[in-house]
Amino acid sequence: MDRFLAMRVFSKVVETGSLARAGRELNISPPAVTRAIAGLEEAIGTRLLIRTTRKLTLTESGQRYIEDCRRILMDLEEAEAAAAGAFSQPTGTLTVSASVLFGRIYVLPILTEYLDLHPEVAARALLLDRVTNMVEEGIEVAVRIGQLPLSNLSAVKVGTVRRIVCGAPDYLERHGTPRTPEDLAGHRIVAATSVWTSPEWRFGKEEKTSVRVSPRLVCNTNEGAIEAAVRGWGLTRVLSYQVAPLVAEGKLVPVLSDSEEEPLPIHIVHPEGRRVTAKVQAFVELASRRLRDNRLLNTR
């Protein structure tokens, strides 16, 4: 049995939660996946996975072993990358993650520029409106908005954005402009389920205040909520970068600017390691310059 292959299979099964999906992603048959796991369990002398018709669950031994597997495989990848010259020049495939709208507007243009500069690199862009597990999902670089929890990730701050309430000029002309957060009670509110998880909107930097809002329209995307606001139906609350072009064009007007919370930081993050590959280093350097130079992402 190829022990390293078996460890890769085991790691992919845990990552995907499925024997069949792991096989598809590794381009091997389901029976080969089953044999690899069985061979690994036999070689170690303990059961690693509990398999039922509905799900896979790690045993206690499996929980300990998966961490060692990931560390060993990462060390192996670094050794192979060093031998292949990946630390001297950008090569291979780079996986980058960002939220859907931010990634589409800001990250993809940088990524395509990066690929033009480094023809030996291919890329995967994962645009997801959720926090990703970089190690488990094979992500090498991520752009994240908001305060970062303590972790073993290296982080480079590249800008800030604000949470803003905004509406179309004709809506404000018909319904008036709210002067205080409490005035929102008299306005039509549009919310997005991807960001609106609480009936309370928080305001203020030093003196905090919360206002309970009751959206009459809830959209499952930020784009939907923004479109309703542009059409003059009501007020919505989004991150400043999401509507910056519309504000510049005069299609949306920010309100309650004096009551905004502290800006949210934007970071480029990547897993720490003994060495950072050239492809990651080159992308981080390019993305840092481009995002820092973007005035829409450095609001105060």
Side-chain angles (χ1 to χ4, degrees):
M1 179 184 64
D2 184 330
R3 182 68 64 87
F4 285 121
L5 174 59
M7 292 171 70
R8 285 193 176 101
V9 171
F10 175 59
S11 183
K12 183 62 69 173
V13 168
V14 175
E15 175 189 330
T16 61
S18 165
L19 296 173
R21 185 175 172 185
R24 288 195 298 270
E25 294 194 11
L26 294 171
N27 198 30
I28 60 177
S29 67
V33 173
T34 301
R35 286 195 299 271
I37 299 297
L40 196 59
E41 291 177 328
E42 182 179 353
I44 296 171
T46 187
R47 194 171 186 182
L48 301 173
L49 289 169
I50 299 173
R51 284 153 276 186
T52 68
T53 56
R54 293 190 175 184
K55 66 177 182 178
L56 297 172
T57 304
L58 285 168
T59 64
E60 184 176 347
S61 296
Q63 290 173 348
R64 291 194 298 267
Y65 189 65
I66 188 60
E67 298 302 324
D68 291 332
C69 267
R70 288 169 178 158
R71 175 180 52 78
I72 292 168
L73 291 173
M74 185 176 296
D75 288 344
L76 178 62
E77 288 173 4
E78 284 193 4
E80 291 174 342
F87 292 101
S88 59
Q89 62 181 6
T91 59
T93 300
L94 178 72
T95 302
V96 179
S97 175
S99 60
V100 174
L101 193 54
F102 189 92
R104 179 171 62 81
I105 297 174
Y106 298 103
V107 177
L108 281 179
I110 297 171
L111 187 56
T112 54
E113 178 186 359
Y114 168 84
L115 292 174
D116 287 339
L117 292 171
H118 303 287
E120 297 302 315
V121 181
R124 296 171 63 232
L126 300 181
L127 306 184
L128 305 165
D129 283 331
R130 62 174 174 80
V131 177
T132 54
N133 186 312
M134 297 186 67
V135 174
E136 289 188 2
E137 299 182 54
I139 297 167
E140 294 163 289
V141 184
V143 182
R144 291 183 173 172
I145 299 173
Q147 300 297 334
L148 295 176
L150 292 176
S151 70
N152 63 344
L153 299 178
S154 294
V156 179
K157 185 178 178 181
V158 294
T160 59
V161 293
R162 301 160 13 243
R163 288 192 181 97
I164 65 171
V165 180
C166 56
D170 61 333
Y171 173 87
L172 298 174
E173 184 176 340
R174 286 183 286 113
H175 298 277
T177 300
R179 303 300 177 187
T180 68
E182 289 74 19
D183 291 344
L184 292 173
H187 286 267
R188 288 194 275 189
I189 302 298
V190 186
T193 53
S194 58
V195 295
W196 184 69
T197 57
S198 168
E200 293 187 346
W201 285 359
R202 293 188 296 274
F203 293 90
K205 294 181 175 66
E206 297 179 359
E207 294 186 13
K208 307 289 185 180
T209 183
S210 297
V211 174
R212 181 173 290 270
V213 295
S214 300
R216 285 195 60 201
L217 174 60
V218 177
C219 301
N220 71 324
T221 65
N222 294 317
E223 292 91 336
I226 292 168
E227 179 62 23
V230 168
R231 291 178 177 274
W233 192 87
L235 301 176
T236 193
R237 194 185 201 196
V238 292
L239 294 175
S240 55
Y241 81 84
Q242 296 170 334
V243 293
L246 296 170
V247 171
E249 295 169 11
K251 294 181 179 179
L252 288 175
V253 177
V255 299
L256 300 175
S257 298
D258 292 340
S259 300
E260 290 176 3
E261 294 180 287
E262 288 286 349
L264 298 170
I266 306 170
H267 289 94
I268 298 175
V269 300
H270 61 87
E272 288 184 341
R274 289 190 295 275
R275 301 174 68 190
V276 178
T277 59
K279 65 179 178 180
V280 169
Q281 186 66 38
F283 180 80
V284 170
E285 290 177 355
L286 176 64
S288 297
R289 291 197 304 270
R290 294 292 179 263
L291 294 176
R292 283 172 174 161
D293 289 344
N294 192 319
R295 61 182 180 83
L296 301 179
L297 302 179
N298 286 276
T299 58
R300 295 291 185 269

